[in-house]
Amino acid sequence: MGRAFEYRKAAKMKRWGQMSRIFPKLGKMITMAAKEGGSPDPEMNAKLRTAIANAKAQNMPKDNIEAAIKRAFNKDAADIKEIRYEAKGPHGSLMIIECATDNPTRTVANVKAILVRNKGELLTSGSLDFMFTRKSVFEFDKRDDLDLEELELELIDYGLEEIEEDKIPQENGEDKAIVRIYGEFTSFGELSKALEERGIEVSKAQLQYIPNTPVELSEEQMDEVGTLTEKLEEDDDVQVVYTNLA
């Protein structure tokens, strides 16, 4: 997803967070990570450790995090699964929609309805395989005592492909300086461990779909696509929407 679109989306996420929609979504990810990793102990479960770090970065309360972990090992808990949908939006926009659901029939019906109401359509699975590349993406606060050139050289052996500085909007209206690194899809675990060993506290760690050929849209067109992605992410089962916007 392009930088301009990410920036605009981050500003809208403030309202989304205030609506308390983000905590249930983060909870699902924690529950799935705990279950898939087979341990409620983040020290023994790397995926769970990452999910908790992402939740803490969004100020998710400790009680919510602990409750989500417990749900993973409750025999009566719903079986939550990850599902990916591919779609075409207005103005040539393409989307990969990641969901976490205990009812795929409900989820696909909701996603289809939102797309149709906003000039989009669901595509056949696999249609966008060559339009996006899955990457390991990590974000952390920029520190004055951290030499990024030295860090880049150190992390190349762990699968690092690119490192960049960026700014993201905050609720107080100011921008926060961050560092974002990209790595190979298969290097997620190695990069995560390498950052941890260097004392770098990651605020976001994800496997993201990056567009191979980003498209640029006008302000008005971008708003229209932004409305569609916002409507999709308001659905409780939708975790994140990736687009091919520059």
Side-chain angles (χ1 to χ4, degrees):
M1 195 177 294
R3 291 292 152 264
F5 190 77
E6 282 280 11
Y7 188 92
R8 294 158 64 86
K9 180 181 172 183
K12 289 183 177 181
M13 284 286 283
K14 290 187 299 182
R15 180 165 62 84
W16 184 41
Q18 290 165 357
M19 292 165 64
S20 298
R21 289 185 176 275
I22 195 169
F23 292 162
K25 294 172 187 284
L26 291 168
K28 283 184 179 181
M29 296 309 295
I30 291 171
T31 299
M32 287 192 297
K35 191 171 184 178
E36 290 174 15
S39 172
D41 183 358
E43 294 301 320
M44 303 294 293
N45 185 339
K47 189 168 185 179
L48 175 59
R49 189 162 64 248
T50 298
I52 291 174
N54 287 332
K56 287 182 176 178
Q58 296 293 338
N59 299 313
M60 186 174 182
K62 182 180 178 181
D63 289 348
N64 294 44
I65 293 174
E66 292 177 349
I69 295 173
K70 288 179 181 178
R71 278 196 296 272
F73 301 98
N74 184 340
K75 63 179 182 180
D76 297 323
D79 185 17
I80 302 174
K81 296 180 179 179
E82 289 184 277
I83 299 178
R84 188 188 87 171
Y85 299 110
E86 298 168 34
K88 181 170 68 174
H91 312 297
S93 60
L94 301 174
M95 302 177 179
I96 291 181
I97 306 164
E98 287 191 338
C99 303
T101 179
D102 59 352
N103 188 333
T105 302
R106 175 194 67 217
T107 304
V108 70
N110 290 347
V111 168
K112 279 183 177 180
I114 294 169
L115 287 167
V116 170
R117 288 196 296 266
N118 294 274
K119 302 179 182 179
E121 62 177 292
L122 203 62
L123 300 176
T124 303
S125 179
S127 299
L128 304 182
D129 282 353
F130 298 102
M131 304 300 292
F132 291 82
T133 301
R134 206 171 193 195
K135 299 284 186 183
S136 301
V137 184
F138 300 84
E139 289 182 7
F140 52 90
D141 293 349
K142 183 182 177 183
R143 291 181 355 210
D144 293 335
D145 64 337
L146 188 63
D147 187 326
L148 293 184
E149 290 187 6
E150 182 178 333
L151 180 65
E152 182 175 14
L153 291 174
E154 292 178 356
L155 295 181
I156 285 176
D157 291 338
Y158 297 92
L160 175 73
E161 295 181 331
E162 182 183 353
I163 187 168
E164 67 179 15
E165 297 180 50
D166 201 356
K167 293 182 178 180
I168 55 176
Q170 301 298 295
E171 290 187 12
N172 60 10
E174 298 180 357
D175 290 341
K176 180 172 70 172
I178 60 125
V179 177
R180 184 181 295 109
I181 68 173
Y182 297 87
E184 299 170 8
F185 165 69
T186 54
S187 300
F188 185 88
E190 289 184 75
L191 279 170
S192 180
K193 185 178 180 181
L195 290 168
E196 189 175 316
E197 290 175 344
R198 286 159 178 75
I200 296 174
E201 189 173 343
V202 173
S203 59
K204 181 186 291 186
Q206 293 179 328
L207 291 169
Q208 296 185 6
Y209 287 95
I210 309 297
N212 296 329
T213 308
V215 299
E216 294 187 10
L217 299 180
S218 68
E219 188 86 5
E220 184 177 346
Q221 292 172 330
M222 192 175 289
D223 280 340
E224 197 169 343
V225 177
T227 296
L228 171 54
T229 62
E230 189 175 2
K231 293 295 184 184
L232 285 166
E233 289 185 330
E234 284 177 358
D235 185 272
D236 291 339
D237 295 335
V238 176
Q239 293 295 115
V240 63
V241 178
Y242 300 102
T243 80
N244 64 333
L245 299 192

